[in-house]
Amino acid sequence: MTQSHMRPLGRTGLSVCPLGFGCYRITDGNAMHEAALRAYLEQGGNLIDTSANYADGLSEKLVGRVLKDYPRERVIVVTKGGYIQGRNMALARERSFPEVVSYADGLWHCIHPEFLETQLRLSAERLGVETIDVYLLHNPEYFLTEIAHHHPPTASDHDEFYRRIGQAFRFLEQQVREGKLRWYGISSNHFGLPSSEPTMTSVARCLDAANAVAADHHFAVVQLPLNLYESGGALEPNTDGRTVLGYCRSHGIGVLANRPLNAFSDGRLTRLADFVAPGTTPPGAAELTALLEPLRRHEEQFIERFSDVKREQGSVTDLLARILPAVKSTAHFEQVADAYILSPIQQWLAAVHQQLGAQPAWLAWQRECVDLLNRLFEEIARHLTAQQQATSDRVRRRLIQAGYPEAVPPEPLSRMAIRVLLSLPGLSSVLVGMRRPEYVGDVAGLASAPSLDGEKLLRAFEAGADPGARG
């Protein structure tokens, strides 16, 4: 990632790396996350995208701590505000901000200036900066989706939505004048939806709102999901007859793509990545049995050492052996484990502890048991994740059928998916989650990869994508 690969961020005058560091699920206190962020910056990256909502502010805090070691002009920081959760929920209950959208228990949203003022101040403090480069309203469409829970949003509902956008822009313009931020915009999951969708958000109407605030306004950046399945921002003519990318390109608006590898389609999530070597057979029943063997031996040791202890609970290993073949995903396993595995184990350990107390042999066995279970659950998660490789192989084949150049050995699916996006005209940067230093290395070379016809590939992929590739 060198200066020659930098791209203009719309009309802002800022040049950004085509691969941005996405800070969703990045948190302060995690040494691996910090190492990944530093690796990204050391390899020439310069765009960090975070939010007040990520890790309840701890994502911004990590970014701020790392920023201290680099010249401020070297890094472009994008952050966002609007969510009311965690610490912000306590603040909102105390302050009673106007125009709060009560979307769900524990999830509110607000873009009223009174709330945004607190968010800008807190974000700047956590980031350790006087001026935020780009500030985005974070998914303001919650206003429309909450209404959609009760009835389809009407024209007057949309008018109210854009009134609130304009009100927020007026406040953000004042923050620009005061030197607290340089540019602003919106991150919306609904920019790429068809015009027929009742909660679709329009970049054109947002620009109209900005023009009504000031002729020399600083609305110049938008962010939206873009990936192989959610390609509306590149293909859907929903913005004055043009796509979001086409419209933004002609109006000097920079575009950041998020979720390039996490695709939602038909209510399902597809991870656009490989979990084992492409084309290889994922681990099966024999490998699963081998994973359980250390725990089985440890349970046998309990029977040998503490034969006088009555054990009403059956074998944990046998329980796992019965349950796991029916579990199809890590999320499913987490649900099953809490109710049917962890809770019974904890109850049994507590009951045995009442009988054996502080006996050294028991305490040693218990510690080893907990360690074994922690390692086992990690291995089970990897085992289940590997089962998704069949989906990844189908996606790869479909993308090659769409015209993506085939490589030997196969190119990692994650690189293929990102490379398609990098080839879209008008896209400033793809925000990639790089929580490990090795992930940074995996994608770093893509900035200089030969360009493809990204739009043609997306259209061909969309035309030929089968529902089975989405599972």
Side-chain angles (χ1 to χ4, degrees):
M1 294 183 280
T2 65
Q3 284 295 121
S4 62
H5 301 127
M6 296 296 176
R7 299 180 177 185
L9 184 62
R11 64 182 181 86
T12 65
L14 302 173
S15 294
V16 297
C17 178
L19 295 163
F21 191 94
C23 289
Y24 180 64
R25 297 176 66 189
I26 296 291
T27 185
D28 192 35
N30 188 309
M32 182 174 62
H33 294 172
E34 180 175 345
L37 179 53
R38 292 185 182 277
Y40 169 78
L41 294 172
E42 292 299 325
Q43 294 188 38
N46 76 331
L47 177 63
I48 300 175
D49 175 86
T50 184
S51 171
N53 191 51
Y54 296 166
D56 201 16
L58 292 179
S59 173
E60 288 181 325
K61 191 172 180 180
L62 172 60
V63 172
R65 196 155 50 75
V66 171
L67 280 179
K68 294 177 182 177
D69 297 333
Y70 296 86
R72 179 64 188 91
E73 66 277 6
R74 160 79 169 75
V75 184
I76 297 167
V77 179
V78 179
T79 194
K80 304 181 279 291
Y83 278 89
I84 299 179
Q85 290 179 294
R87 299 177 190 178
N88 276 334
M89 181 64 74
L91 177 65
R93 292 186 189 280
E94 176 186 336
R95 292 279 300 273
S96 298
F97 297 106
E99 300 180 354
V100 169
V101 177
S102 298
Y103 185 79
D105 289 341
L107 173 55
W108 298 352
H109 198 277
C110 184
I111 59 169
H112 190 274
E114 288 186 27
F115 179 65
L116 292 178
E117 187 279 328
T118 69
Q119 298 306 285
L120 267 172
R121 174 173 49 80
L122 292 171
S123 287
E125 289 175 1
R126 288 189 290 258
L127 292 167
V129 300
E130 293 184 2
T131 304
I132 295 171
D133 297 308
V134 180
Y135 192 81
L136 305 179
L137 304 180
H138 200 176
N139 294 343
E141 66 271 14
Y142 271 102
F143 173 80
L144 297 172
T145 53
E146 197 282 326
I147 290 174
H149 287 162
H150 310 284
H151 60 79
T154 64
S156 61
D157 292 326
H158 280 266
D159 289 343
E160 172 61 14
F161 173 73
Y162 293 105
R163 183 198 68 78
R164 294 186 179 199
I165 294 292
Q167 177 180 254
F169 283 179
R170 190 169 294 106
F171 165 77
L172 294 175
E173 281 295 336
Q174 179 62 36
Q175 304 310 296
V176 173
R177 289 192 291 272
E178 295 177 7
K180 296 177 181 177
L181 59 93
R182 300 170 70 182
W183 301 92
Y184 62 85
I186 295 178
S187 176
S188 174
N189 289 335
H190 291 195
F191 276 144
L193 296 181
S195 301
S196 58
E197 287 289 337
T199 61
M200 174 261 184
T201 51
S202 166
V203 176
R205 290 198 66 175
C206 291
L207 182 58
D208 288 343
N211 285 324
V213 168
D216 58 346
H217 64 81
H218 292 76
F219 169 64
V221 180
V222 298
Q223 184 179 134
L224 76 164
L226 264 179
N227 54 61
L228 295 179
Y229 288 104
E230 295 172 280
S231 53
L235 304 182
E236 186 69 38
N238 64 357
T239 312
D240 283 359
R242 285 172 285 181
T243 66
V244 170
L245 285 181
Y247 182 88
C248 289
R249 190 180 185 188
S250 64
H251 287 82
I253 300 173
V255 182
L256 307 177
N258 61 40
R259 288 202 290 101
L261 303 179
N262 287 334
F264 285 97
S265 180
D266 296 336
R268 299 177 179 179
L269 170 65
T270 298
R271 176 69 178 169
L272 302 173
D274 293 304
F275 305 96
V276 296
T280 61
T281 302
E287 289 82 1
L288 183 58
T289 300
L291 290 180
L292 298 177
E293 190 57 29
L295 180 61
R296 185 183 300 281
R297 291 197 301 269
H298 195 61
E299 289 194 286
E300 292 171 351
Q301 289 177 9
F302 178 87
I303 297 172
E304 295 171 1
R305 296 179 185 179
F306 310 105
S307 56
D308 57 332
V309 175
K310 183 179 180 181
R311 181 172 181 176
E312 296 180 355
Q313 183 222 34
S315 165
V316 175
T317 309
D318 290 344
L319 177 64
L320 284 167
R322 290 195 302 272
I323 289 177
L324 289 176
V327 176
K328 301 304 181 184
S329 69
T330 53
H332 187 197
F333 176 66
E334 289 171 1
Q335 295 172 349
V336 169
D338 285 343
Y340 300 104
I341 301 172
L342 289 177
S343 181
I345 290 174
Q346 290 167 350
Q347 293 174 11
W348 177 75
L349 289 175
V352 174
H353 192 74
Q354 286 184 341
Q355 298 180 59
L356 299 179
Q359 292 184 28
W362 157 247
L363 294 177
W365 187 94
Q366 184 184 39
R367 282 194 299 270
E368 188 176 349
C369 180
V370 172
D371 289 342
L372 271 173
L373 285 169
N374 287 334
R375 292 197 299 270
L376 175 60
F377 279 25
E378 290 178 1
E379 292 297 327
I380 289 173
R382 280 192 280 269
H383 176 91
L384 292 170
T385 300
Q387 309 309 307
Q388 300 176 45
Q389 185 58 38
T391 296
S392 298
D393 289 339
R394 288 197 297 269
V395 175
R396 175 183 284 99
R397 287 195 298 270
R398 180 61 61 187
L399 190 52
I400 290 172
Q401 290 169 2
Y404 191 97
E406 188 170 7
V408 179
E411 186 177 359
L413 179 59
S414 58
R415 288 176 57 90
M416 296 170 70
I418 294 172
R419 189 178 167 196
V420 171
L421 300 184
L422 290 175
S423 300
L424 293 171
L427 186 60
S428 305
S429 186
V430 179
L431 304 172
V432 183
M434 300 180 250
R435 297 192 303 277
R436 297 172 178 267
E438 56 265 34
Y439 293 169
V440 178
D442 286 345
V443 302
L446 286 174
S448 57
S451 184
L452 306 168
D453 190 334
E455 184 175 321
K456 181 179 179 180
L457 282 168
L458 282 179
R459 290 193 183 281
F461 184 88
E462 182 181 72
D466 61 293
R470 302 179 185 184

